[in-house]
Amino acid sequence: MSTEKRVVVTGISVMAANGNNIDEFNENAVRGIGGIKKTTLFPTDKIRTDYFGQVNKTYIYEVQSLKDKSRLECMYEDLILQLLEDTSITPEIIGELNEKVGFSFATSVGVNDYVSGHVKGSIEKSISKSNIYKLPKKLKIKGPVFVNTSACAAGTTAIGTAYSLVNSGICDMVISGGIDPLTEFSSYGFHSLQNLSSTPCRPFDKDRDGITLGEGGALFVIESYESAQKRNAKIYCEVLGYGLGNDAYHATSPDPSGDGAYRVMTQALKQADVLPAKIDYINTHGTGTEINDSMEIKAIERLTGKCHVNSIKSQVGHCLAAAGAVEFAATVLSINNSYVYPNINLSNPINSLEEVELPSELVYKNIHYALSNSFAFAGNAASIVVGGISE
């Protein structure tokens, strides 16, 4: 007899350039109002662009002492407050559940504040004293803790890890997601690779010229269906399966054939026991780079029949390790509200086939099953399947 547990999402918090909370994020995404603008955090005169997806909230940019809360910690605290309010639980309730509550988190440059402060001499010690390691303790979590750093696939991978912990019965509940702040470090890195867009990014447009970096994050309560029922929790959707892989093609470039993307989507659907033709909507990685967008469309056309496709990066930018978490929030909200957010900045779509639709306006549609994709440097790839809740 199978001991696998059904896995559901019972809480969401999100913050990105187009909104500081779930209501702002959703309302602006529906209206196609992006948050990409000229950054005020650091000089951009030596970078190809000054357009970034900066959150519209005043947080410290660089810590000056170990007593300062980093930009990531400030975002985390705000997101946790939103999450607890949305799901009606408290750290005390979490603590009473002991080892049955876990933590699965993603970040890539989350400790940059401390490293930068150490290098610049404003603080004496750096990463070894960073408060980032105390994040689970703020919620009184006593169960397994994972921090994923698989580049831009990390957010989706973290949610997949949470799914496995609950599905296997190891945990009844996992707090999961990802957060990444904007930094000069990552900005100069992408500038050196010559893949920053000179304007707000245009995923899937024939005239796309690169990515726009963003910041923010999203957190979720991933829970067993049985646990959610016991506490009469609000259920957003069911997590049905995920796929992880590595196409081992290039250090920074995906396989242009789309084989790697196709494999992880297929793996996710196989675990979810969902036929490709049943997918109504795909929230893509959709970075706005020449190779990524081309290969992802190829993989989607190979995978499934007619479905709607979008990239939320056109509104919030590329949030690096947090991208998969922010985009998972967009996917879950789309299922709940029966619509697909518009692709903004899209005037000349790259594909001319009927199978894949790239809406430039809001589309009302019942979404039974959806995929959320993340593809990253070093070949890392992740895809997750979600569906509307059924009894």
Side-chain angles (χ1 to χ4, degrees):
M1 184 175 68
S2 175
T3 59
E4 292 183 354
K5 306 284 188 179
R6 292 178 67 185
V7 182
V8 295
V9 178
T10 58
I12 302 176
S13 63
V14 63
M15 173 186 297
N18 71 337
N20 291 331
N21 54 57
I22 191 170
D23 291 333
E24 290 180 6
F25 176 89
N26 182 61
E27 181 179 347
N28 286 327
V30 164
R31 297 167 62 189
I33 299 176
I36 294 172
K37 58 188 177 184
K38 296 183 178 182
T39 186
T40 58
L41 297 180
F42 48 79
T44 58
D45 54 300
K46 295 181 180 180
I47 305 175
R48 187 187 183 202
T49 185
D50 49 7
Y51 285 101
F52 292 85
Q54 179 181 330
V55 299
N56 189 28
K57 204 159 190 180
T58 302
Y59 293 127
I60 189 171
Y61 175 61
E62 289 185 335
V63 297
Q64 298 301 310
S65 77
L66 291 176
K67 295 180 181 179
D68 291 339
K69 291 180 181 178
S70 69
R71 193 171 183 83
L72 180 146
E73 289 173 276
C74 292
M75 291 181 185
Y76 178 81
E77 290 188 354
D78 278 353
L79 285 168
I80 283 297
L81 288 175
Q82 291 180 38
L83 186 68
L84 295 179
E85 181 179 358
D86 184 60
T87 197
S88 299
I89 58 174
T90 65
E92 288 69 32
I93 292 174
I94 290 173
E96 290 172 0
L97 294 172
N98 296 311
E99 292 82 7
K100 297 301 286 184
V101 180
F103 186 76
S104 180
F105 186 69
T107 190
S108 60
V109 293
V111 297
N112 180 79
D113 288 358
Y114 296 96
V115 175
S116 178
H118 179 62
V119 170
K120 293 181 180 180
S122 60
I123 55 178
E124 294 182 359
K125 298 179 181 180
S126 59
I127 191 170
S128 63
K129 296 294 184 180
S130 168
N131 289 330
I132 190 173
Y133 304 111
K134 299 179 181 178
L135 298 185
K137 293 183 179 180
K138 293 177 182 288
L139 288 173
K140 301 184 184 299
I141 290 173
K142 301 174 185 176
V145 172
F146 294 84
V147 177
N148 193 285
T149 57
S150 56
C152 303
T156 300
T157 303
I159 296 164
T161 300
Y163 167 86
S164 288
L165 288 170
V166 176
N167 179 250
S168 65
I170 294 173
C171 292
D172 292 332
M173 179 187 296
V174 178
I175 308 302
S176 183
I179 303 171
D180 250 348
L182 278 172
T183 68
E184 290 175 87
F185 174 78
S186 54
S187 300
Y188 275 96
F190 281 93
H191 171 80
S192 69
L193 293 171
Q194 301 181 35
N195 63 359
L196 286 178
S197 176
S198 58
T199 62
C201 63
R202 292 166 286 177
F204 303 117
D205 195 282
K206 288 182 180 178
D207 299 317
R208 65 197 185 279
D209 66 344
I211 73 171
T212 296
L213 291 178
E215 67 174 351
L219 297 175
F220 308 89
V221 176
I222 309 295
E223 189 172 3
S224 73
Y225 181 60
E226 181 181 28
S227 172
Q229 281 189 313
K230 282 182 180 178
R231 64 185 193 88
N232 197 28
K234 170 178 58 181
I235 297 177
Y236 282 96
C237 69
E238 185 166 3
V239 185
L240 298 167
Y242 70 102
L244 299 179
N246 190 299
D247 62 22
Y249 178 80
H250 187 269
T252 60
S253 177
D255 183 344
S257 72
D259 281 350
Y262 175 78
R263 283 196 299 272
V264 296
M265 288 190 288
T266 300
Q267 183 185 32
L269 290 171
K270 184 176 181 180
Q271 185 180 58
D273 195 24
V274 174
L275 294 173
K278 295 290 187 180
I279 295 297
D280 301 302
Y281 160 57
I282 299 178
N283 186 299
T284 65
H285 190 55
T287 60
T289 60
E290 180 66 32
I291 296 178
N292 178 88
D293 291 8
S294 175
M295 76 85 185
E296 193 166 7
I297 286 293
K298 287 178 184 177
I300 290 170
E301 289 175 336
R302 178 180 171 189
L303 177 79
T304 185
K306 195 169 186 177
C307 71
H308 283 86
V309 166
N310 70 1
S311 171
I312 196 70
K313 287 183 177 70
S314 62
Q315 299 197 29
V316 303
H318 191 333
C319 299
L320 301 182
V326 172
E327 290 153 19
F328 185 72
T331 306
V332 173
L333 291 171
S334 293
I335 288 179
N336 264 258
N337 295 300
S338 300
Y339 49 57
V340 176
Y341 298 137
N343 294 283
I344 68 171
N345 309 328
L346 179 64
S347 57
N348 196 10
I350 62 175
N351 74 308
S352 58
L353 301 179
E354 293 183 359
E355 284 82 358
V356 176
E357 296 190 26
L358 293 162
S360 57
E361 296 181 354
L362 183 73
V363 173
Y364 289 95
K365 177 178 184 177
N366 288 326
I367 301 171
H368 300 99
Y369 299 104
L371 278 167
S372 184
N373 290 338
S374 294
F375 307 117
F377 284 173
N380 291 299
S383 185
I384 196 159
V385 184
V386 290
I389 190 67
S390 58
E391 298 299 327

